[in-house]
Amino acid sequence: MVNLVAAQMPLLHGLMKMAGVQPHRVEIEPGTVMNFWVPNETIKKPQKGEKDKNPTLTKPNKPVIVLVHGFAAEGIVTWQFQVGALTKKYSVYIPDLLFFGGSITDKTDRSPAFQAETLVKGLKKFGIEKCIVVGFSYGGMVAFKMAELYPDLVQAMVISGSILAMTDSISEATLSELGFKSSSELLLPNSVKGLKTLLSVATYKKLWFPNRLHKDYLEVMFTNRKERAELLEGLVINNKDPTIPRFVQKIHLLWGENDQIFNLGLAQNMKGQLGETATFQGIRKAGHLVHLERPCVYNRCLKRFLTSLLENGVQK
């Protein structure tokens, strides 16, 4: 029987290419390969008769935006409603983090810092010297690490539904409030019922899809389960370990006001920890998946912040 989700992927790929991006795999180092969706204009394919040659990469000629996905889907599935809204004014790069969308490594490090380091190595292979990072959920934690470790590269951030670091107290409190025993039980469902529960927690409006679509989504999007479970284990740190980095970048927290996973209280507390460089904006009638539930409002807010950055000299 045809997997409905897999059958729709070529259509999504086609729409992304029409929006201005195409896939390109990069060997970061032996044993580590990362998939990116990159601006069409930065990839020059070999001409006819030059089949043995690899595509030529060129530097982006517009301000660079890097969209970093969360835990339940790969890059273009997560950001499908944002890409077309951004590609006219920006060079948009959408990575698939390690163990998502064909990105793999034989290294054993599962920390957000390793994801950040690998992603930055990939970006540098495209000739990117400065960028603005938009991170959602798990991708937000990776984005924070990128900004901390590479302040000359990351000029600003937009963070949605994420936190600085997943301490054991935040992890336990969040899971207890939602009624789950572990992060894997919530974020790595292995049944239709589990996926339905995840979606009900992640959205403001209760969505209905047939069971078969849930089943097909599980088969396509929840691969590399062992490694992803290790990624979740690598997220949690001891309460005594966290220190709040002093970020030099402007950080805009763009939140669904009805987020049940990382609620408004956590967002406001984080804004206070980040200090004067951080701003906050809530979007009504939206949950954790704010960028998918209310994409038009989200895109408007995102573009307004990006425009303000450019007006103030970012990436000039």
Side-chain angles (χ1 to χ4, degrees):
M1 187 177 291
V2 174
N3 184 298
L4 297 176
V5 175
Q8 291 174 14
M9 291 305 288
L11 174 61
L12 179 58
H13 287 194
L15 291 172
M16 291 298 100
K17 290 174 183 177
M18 290 174 61
V21 295
Q22 61 181 282
H24 186 77
R25 286 170 66 82
V26 176
E27 184 179 47
I28 307 299
E29 55 190 56
T32 301
V33 176
M34 184 167 270
N35 185 61
F36 285 81
W37 285 77
V38 305
N40 289 341
E41 64 270 16
T42 65
I43 300 288
K44 185 179 179 182
K45 294 185 177 180
Q47 296 181 353
K48 291 182 178 179
E50 299 178 327
K51 292 183 179 180
D52 294 336
K53 288 189 177 182
N54 292 322
T56 302
L57 301 178
T58 61
K59 287 187 176 183
N61 56 14
K62 292 180 285 190
V64 174
I65 308 296
V66 181
L67 304 176
V68 190
H69 65 81
F71 210 81
E74 60 194 54
I76 59 168
V77 175
T78 299
W79 299 110
Q80 58 186 287
F81 298 128
Q82 281 66 54
V83 175
L86 296 173
T87 49
K88 185 176 180 180
K89 287 189 176 181
Y90 304 97
S91 292
V92 179
Y93 290 78
I94 310 107
D96 289 325
L97 296 173
L98 295 171
F99 303 114
F100 296 86
S103 297
I104 56 170
T105 185
D106 58 5
K107 307 296 186 294
T108 57
D109 193 338
R110 300 290 184 259
S111 67
F114 181 65
Q115 289 274 24
E117 290 164 4
T118 306
L119 174 49
V120 167
K121 288 177 182 177
L123 294 174
K124 289 184 175 179
K125 286 182 180 289
F126 293 111
I128 296 171
E129 298 173 354
K130 295 183 183 297
C131 65
I132 299 164
V133 182
V134 183
F136 164 67
S137 198
Y138 176 66
M141 298 180 211
V142 174
F144 275 125
K145 276 298 175 185
M146 289 175 66
E148 177 187 352
L149 298 173
Y150 304 95
D152 293 335
L153 172 71
V154 180
Q155 293 186 293
M157 288 187 293
V158 178
I159 301 294
S160 298
S162 188
I163 51 177
L164 281 160
M166 180 67 83
T167 62
D168 45 18
S169 61
I170 291 177
S171 176
E172 290 168 8
T174 301
L175 291 170
S176 176
E177 188 173 323
L178 295 173
F180 290 89
K181 296 178 182 178
S182 68
S183 296
S184 291
E185 184 185 358
L186 171 63
L187 296 171
L188 281 175
N190 54 19
S191 66
V192 168
K193 181 181 178 181
L195 181 55
K196 285 183 175 180
T197 302
L198 173 58
L199 286 174
S200 70
V201 167
T203 55
Y204 170 72
K205 293 181 179 178
K206 303 313 171 192
L207 306 174
W208 183 88
F209 297 106
N211 286 346
R212 182 185 168 188
L213 197 60
H214 286 93
K215 180 177 177 292
D216 289 352
Y217 189 90
L218 282 169
E219 290 179 2
V220 173
M221 290 298 160
F222 288 91
T223 56
N224 298 316
R225 285 180 171 273
K226 174 181 177 293
E227 291 82 3
R228 292 194 196 181
E230 293 167 354
L231 291 176
L232 289 174
E233 291 174 6
L235 273 180
V236 182
I237 61 174
N238 192 285
N239 284 334
K240 298 177 181 178
D241 294 338
T243 55
I244 307 300
R246 186 175 179 82
F247 291 104
V248 297
Q249 302 92 341
K250 286 190 176 181
I251 303 169
H252 190 52
L253 307 177
L254 187 53
W255 232 258
E257 291 186 358
N258 303 93
D259 193 328
Q260 296 182 67
I261 295 178
F262 296 122
N263 60 38
L264 284 182
L266 284 173
Q268 295 288 5
N269 182 59
M270 181 168 63
K271 180 181 179 296
Q273 292 176 324
L274 292 170
E276 295 180 358
T277 61
T279 52
F280 174 85
Q281 186 173 14
I283 295 178
R284 296 175 60 248
K285 297 182 179 180
H288 190 64
L289 296 173
V290 56
H291 57 293
L292 293 173
E293 280 197 283
R294 304 206 64 190
C296 294
V297 179
Y298 186 91
N299 292 349
R300 228 173 12 247
C301 297
L302 175 59
K303 289 194 288 186
R304 191 178 300 131
F305 177 71
L306 295 176
T307 299
S308 72
L309 292 175
L310 297 183
E311 289 174 348
N312 286 284
V314 171
Q315 290 209 25
K316 288 185 178 180

